[in-house]
Amino acid sequence: MSYEGKVKELPLRPLEHIVYMVDHFGYDDTPPPPGLILLDPFTGQRVQNSRPLPYQRRSPYGPQVPFLPAIAREIK
């Protein structure tokens, strides 16, 4: 079996975005750095921090999953 494809260069994220996502995302109330916004994964609306959001939908794998962090999006 062989694989053929093209390499796609991805834009580099600013270091402060990476540090935020590793050190704070989903763990505390630290607001995102400039250029990064957080969205509620169900409504798509902007939220102020990445503290886990209440999750009320049933999981197909058993009991309800209690929390889900926001989605981080880069502003372009």
Side-chain angles (χ1 to χ4, degrees):
M1 176 184 282
S2 67
Y3 174 81
E4 291 183 30
K6 296 180 181 179
V7 175
K8 182 176 180 180
E9 293 289 328
L10 298 175
L12 295 176
R13 286 192 177 265
L15 181 59
E16 63 182 351
H17 290 194
I18 295 168
V19 169
Y20 174 80
M21 288 190 276
V22 170
D23 292 343
H24 300 288
F25 188 68
Y27 300 108
D28 60 31
D29 291 329
T30 304
L36 192 69
I37 61 171
L38 303 174
L39 303 175
D40 181 313
F42 299 114
T43 66
Q45 294 184 358
R46 192 171 179 171
V47 294
Q48 297 304 311
N49 62 55
S50 64
R51 177 74 76 182
L53 303 166
Y55 182 23
Q56 300 300 324
R57 298 183 184 184
R58 290 189 178 275
S59 167
Y61 305 107
Q64 287 180 298
V65 177
F67 297 107
L68 185 68
I71 297 171
R73 292 272 166 90
E74 193 169 8
I75 299 173
K76 295 183 179 187

